[in-house]
Amino acid sequence: MKNTHEVTLFVLIGLTLLTAAAANLIGEKATYLPLIIMGIAAIKFLLVAFQFMELKEAHRFWKILTTIVGVSLAFIIGILA
């Protein structure tokens, strides 16, 4: 169990570095940059929710609701930014 937490932590760190690299390489002129950044943020949110908050053991309703709300919120913020 400890090993999966470490793997998830390294994936989260890698996604954070990927976000920083995308912001620096693509630049501020790209119109799709907020969608990319918010997409990566949604993936990080789901990883934290399911791995560290133990949502993977929750009822199916809460899993589906958390996924829908998290991804929808990230998409809306990415569109409006």
Side-chain angles (χ1 to χ4, degrees):
M1 179 179 250
K2 183 180 178 187
N3 193 19
T4 59
H5 287 307
E6 290 175 356
V7 170
T8 305
L9 182 63
F10 286 125
V11 169
L12 288 169
I13 292 171
L15 288 173
T16 303
L17 294 174
L18 181 66
T19 303
N24 285 331
L25 294 176
I26 295 175
E28 297 179 9
K29 297 178 183 178
T31 58
Y32 53 87
L33 183 62
L35 276 176
I36 292 173
I37 291 175
M38 290 309 296
I40 295 172
I43 293 170
K44 290 179 0 181
F45 168 74
L46 292 174
L47 280 172
V48 168
F50 280 94
Q51 186 66 35
F52 296 113
M53 294 171 53
E54 308 249 348
L55 189 62
K56 59 186 172 189
E57 297 175 6
H59 191 271
R60 184 179 299 161
F61 171 77
W62 294 113
K63 292 178 188 179
I64 294 170
L65 184 68
T66 303
T67 303
I68 289 172
V69 169
V71 172
S72 299
L73 189 63
F75 181 73
I76 290 170
I77 292 172
I79 291 291
L80 295 178

